[in-house]
Amino acid sequence: MLIQTLRETPADAEIDSHKLLVRAGLVRKVAGGLYSYMPLGMRSLKKIQQIVREEMDRAGAQEIVMPILQPAELWKTTGRWDAMGPNMFKLRDRSEREAALGPTAEEEVTDFIKGIVSSYRQLPVTVYQIQWKFRDETRPRFGLMRSKEFLMKDAYSFDVDADAADKSYWNMYHAYERIYERCGLKAVPVQADGGDMGDSLTHEFHVLADAGEDGIAWCPKCGYAANLEAAEKRFEPCAAEPCTEPLAEAPTPAKTIEDMVKFFGVGPEKMAKTLVYLADGKPVMFCVRGDRELNEVKAKRLVCAKTFALADFSTVREVTGAPIGYAGPVKPKIDVPIYADLELEGASGMLTGANLDGEIDYKNVDFARDCKIAKYADITIAQAGDKCAHCDGTLEIKRGIEVGQVFKLGTKYSKAFNAVYKNDALEEKVMIMGCYGVGVSRTLQAIIEQSHDKDGIVWPASVAPFQVVIDLLDPQEAEVAQVASDLEAALEAAGIDTLVDDREERPGVKFKDADLIGFPVRVVVGAKGLKSGGVEIKRRDEDKTKTRIVAPEAALDAIRQALGQSKS
Ligand code: ATP
Ligand code: MG
């Protein structure tokens, strides 16, 4: 068997699960963001796929498969050919026909269903595929977590109306709960940002781990959980009295909030920072308290922008008339819309940039008196210690790995494709859609991130490359080898997949590899052991001292029992 375990940590691996994936010989790097699956990795990947497939089938979804190579026309129908930007791999065939390597498949599946479904009698329908996806990620990293090519299960539901679509959504949501549970994974559903679809209902499933790239706001009191991109918090009305002092210039060399805190000797909550963005090419300003960060997702949503990015230096100068670091909400040079966070409504006695040519701030800023604010809205990122918007609890912030997402799409795609059905009055109606993704390859690695120790991976039995490893210590001794091969046959007959390590290696090497790869149960068969009582059985998730010696005839039962008790 092609197994290659490594003692050294790969240089580019930053997080434990990435190191272990490579060290245990599950995958091999081809180039940045591209991996080959070695036989061990492939076995686990297939087991996860199988769990996903069984739960999709159980939920009534039907498996299909659509081409990875997707014609540009599909994407142009919804305008996403351009909107996807550099994230999508685009190419041309020999006849100059444009196509993309599918990063997802809403367009393709809508076109597919439109060609098949025409009557309400054919609905509801949910289809799914387990297919490779391609995304030219800005920063491919962390191994399979964020790769350029990855395996995704994507499902799409089509319904006659909003109620039916709601049923489909929750049906998938519950299937996801079962999928992760069967993978031995603790994944929590969190509310997420509806993206283009505005307030559309969507949940992401996250594996909580320090290595996660997403921030999750969590209320331990009521259980509210949301991606920081979307997390709400409770706003206390600003208690400040209107300012009696007039607005005044305060020259300062300090550009950043930290420098201002030192220079003025007041807290960041008495300062406001102002950021200039280009929303669909037009400058807008956002103003948040000095101790807050702007939430770009909320800000973008607030101004209903398609493209949204921090303005370049020259635009900032043009808009504010001031050097970088001195933008403020009081009379910018060019009259642009200024949005301020809810916490600044009624704020007074604040320090802000002055939009003046020089290193000057304003003090005594009273937002109601001195600033022309287009709108006060929640545009900041929730922080630990903020009050929960749903109860009187206090928010905590956790890190999460997004392993899946369920999403109500409404009619965005079906309208664009005119995917309609005839109701019983023979009227044409637009289908209501939902989409549901599981990052299959990311899930593989998330399992490792959640389940490992200093010696290696600790696989849940359901997704381990093999459930049992037999470390055969004296392969050259025929009698000992016979015991191992009889046991292997008995285990396989019982449906327990087993790997026999019959390499001519020292026991220490075999034990180290068994721990590194993380087989749920290890059985040691050796001459010495057999003479003194039998074979040795040990669970990977148990203390090393908890080995059990059983006679070879009793091994099958003991292993069954050990597997049943081991993780998941
Ligand atoms: P992310 O926010 O992490 O970039 P996403 O929200 O863009 O992911 P979706 O479009 O929701 O991703 O795709 C469904 C699932 O596919 C995700 O929940 C995630 O598990 C997985 N996935 C997305 N991008 C990648 C990637 N580059 N590498 C591996 N898995 C990925
Ligand atoms: Mg997602």
Side-chain angles (χ1 to χ4, degrees):
M1 180 160 199
L2 270 180
I3 296 181
Q4 180 190 45
T5 53
L6 305 174
R7 292 285 166 258
E8 317 76 48
T9 301
D12 65 336
E14 297 167 62
I15 61 174
D16 287 350
S17 54
H18 183 189
K19 294 175 190 168
L20 289 171
L21 258 183
V22 178
R23 284 192 49 215
L26 300 175
V27 301
R28 219 185 128 76
K29 183 172 162 183
V30 176
L34 297 173
Y35 291 86
S36 297
Y37 290 78
M38 294 169 65
L40 285 180
M42 193 59 205
R43 290 183 66 94
S44 282
L45 189 71
K46 274 166 72 179
K47 288 189 179 179
I48 299 169
Q49 283 183 62
Q50 192 50 29
I51 290 173
V52 170
R53 186 170 278 124
E54 284 171 19
E55 291 304 332
M56 283 296 110
D57 292 346
R58 170 136 79 119
Q62 303 171 59
E63 187 166 9
I64 61 168
V65 68
M66 300 181 289
I68 292 172
L69 195 58
Q70 304 182 1
E73 291 72 55
L74 292 175
W75 292 89
K76 287 181 179 167
T77 304
T78 54
R80 287 213 295 175
W81 181 254
D82 295 322
M84 292 298 282
N87 250 14
M88 191 153 77
F89 284 104
K90 296 176 178 173
L91 49 87
R92 284 169 193 278
D93 69 9
R94 62 175 78 205
S95 330
E96 294 292 312
R97 273 187 291 260
E98 291 178 300
L101 298 180
T104 174
E106 285 82 5
E107 281 80 355
E108 199 172 37
V109 78
T110 309
D111 187 56
F112 172 87
I113 291 294
K114 173 195 157 90
I116 304 169
V117 172
S118 56
S119 157
Y120 73 97
R121 290 196 187 88
Q122 292 164 285
L123 297 174
V125 66
T126 298
V127 290
Y128 75 96
Q129 63 174 350
I130 302 177
Q131 179 65 292
W132 296 94
K133 300 288 186 295
F134 294 79
R135 291 185 189 180
D136 196 354
E137 296 280 359
T138 331
R139 276 191 78 192
R141 56 181 188 155
F142 299 155
L144 303 179
M145 291 283 190
R146 187 166 297 286
S147 48
K148 291 186 185 167
E149 176 174 358
F150 58 97
L151 193 59
M152 194 206 284
K153 182 286 299 176
D154 43 328
Y156 306 88
S157 62
F158 297 80
D159 279 288
V160 292
D161 57 27
D163 281 350
D166 192 62
K167 273 200 196 103
S168 296
Y169 180 88
W170 290 107
N171 183 32
M172 282 291 131
Y173 179 104
H174 295 307
Y176 275 40
E177 291 180 319
R178 292 193 296 269
I179 288 171
Y180 298 120
E181 196 192 320
R182 285 184 59 189
C183 287
L185 202 51
K186 266 203 212 90
V188 292
V190 313
Q191 292 174 30
D193 177 63
D196 292 354
M197 261 70 67
D199 292 326
S200 205
L201 184 64
T202 174
H203 287 88
E204 292 168 349
F205 287 78
H206 279 267
V207 172
L208 299 182
D210 291 339
E213 289 188 278
D214 287 309
I216 310 290
W218 183 63
C219 173
K221 191 154 185 199
C222 70
Y224 171 72
N227 190 310
L228 277 186
E229 290 181 350
E232 305 164 345
K233 52 190 177 294
R234 182 190 302 277
F235 284 92
E236 307 296 345
C238 195
E241 293 288 313
C243 209
T244 48
E245 306 283 315
L247 185 71
E249 288 183 18
T252 163
K255 290 186 181 58
T256 64
I257 291 290
E258 297 78 64
D259 292 344
M260 282 172 69
V261 168
K262 278 193 208 123
F263 187 83
F264 291 107
V266 294
E269 70 288 348
K270 293 307 289 177
M271 301 170 184
K273 58 183 168 194
T274 307
L275 300 148
V276 184
Y277 275 75
L278 286 173
D280 292 333
K282 293 202 191 79
V284 281
M285 289 171 117
F286 296 98
C287 203
V288 304
R289 235 168 55 181
D291 55 347
R292 290 285 184 186
E293 295 302 326
L294 180 75
N295 182 326
E296 290 193 345
V297 174
K298 289 181 185 172
K300 180 181 177 193
R301 168 96 70 86
L302 181 66
V303 297
C304 299
K306 283 215 163 58
T307 68
F308 190 77
L310 210 50
D312 51 280
F313 285 5
S314 64
T315 308
V316 176
R317 268 218 84 113
E318 228 174 277
V319 171
T320 64
I324 293 291
Y326 294 90
V330 186
K331 292 198 206 74
K333 191 163 172 218
I334 298 177
D335 191 19
V336 299
I338 306 172
Y339 296 91
D341 188 56
L342 276 175
E343 276 170 341
L344 290 171
E345 192 162 19
S348 68
M350 304 291 286
L351 274 159
T352 74
N355 301 322
L356 294 174
D357 191 11
E359 298 185 325
I360 305 163
D361 285 328
Y362 275 140
K363 57 182 179 184
N364 310 331
V365 176
D366 181 323
F367 269 70
R369 181 188 69 191
D370 304 320
C371 313
K372 201 178 109 197
I373 302 298
K375 191 170 183 181
Y376 290 95
D378 172 10
I379 51 170
T380 56
I381 301 175
Q383 296 170 352
D386 281 343
K387 292 272 162 281
C388 177
H390 304 276
C391 73
D392 60 355
T394 304
L395 296 180
E396 292 176 12
I397 308 294
K398 314 236 172 211
R399 309 294 310 164
I401 301 166
E402 181 195 326
V403 287
Q405 183 164 18
V406 291
F407 210 128
K408 281 194 180 179
L409 292 175
T411 56
K412 177 178 170 174
Y413 297 92
S414 42
K415 258 200 193 130
F417 279 88
N418 196 34
V420 294
Y421 67 92
K422 286 210 174 74
N423 67 11
D424 54 1
L426 294 180
E427 298 156 336
E428 278 193 349
K429 298 273 173 195
V430 180
M431 298 179 215
I432 316 276
M433 290 174 60
C435 73
Y436 316 92
V438 170
V440 178
S441 46
R442 187 185 280 183
T443 297
L444 170 77
Q445 194 176 329
I447 293 169
I448 301 174
E449 190 62 39
Q450 193 172 78
S451 195
H452 69 273
D453 61 18
K454 66 177 192 349
D455 297 319
I457 304 169
V458 184
W459 284 110
S462 58
V463 289
F466 290 92
Q467 290 163 285
V468 174
V469 64
I470 299 179
D471 279 349
L472 173 55
L473 297 193
D474 306 284
Q476 69 293 348
E477 288 189 29
E479 260 173 63
V480 183
Q482 192 59 48
V483 172
S485 99
D486 288 349
L487 182 56
E488 180 194 16
L491 286 164
E492 290 289 346
I496 297 170
D497 50 2
T498 304
L499 179 70
V500 181
D501 185 354
D502 57 359
R503 293 174 301 170
E504 298 279 352
E505 290 282 4
R506 283 181 293 113
V509 170
K510 296 188 177 194
F511 297 162
K512 265 209 157 60
D513 277 349
D515 280 350
L516 176 59
I517 298 169
F519 306 103
V521 172
R522 184 187 80 190
V523 185
V524 180
V525 180
K528 224 169 92 193
L530 285 176
K531 265 187 216 118
S532 65
V535 303
E536 182 189 297
I537 296 170
K538 185 194 155 302
R539 263 166 49 188
R540 177 64 180 87
D541 62 357
E542 243 179 23
D543 190 319
K544 288 214 159 44
T545 56
K546 282 201 175 168
T547 53
R548 285 203 289 154
I549 313 283
V550 301
E553 315 80 65
L556 176 59
D557 275 346
I559 292 166
R560 265 215 189 101
Q561 205 189 357
L563 273 174
Q565 289 165 353
S566 113
K567 292 188 67 130
S568 97

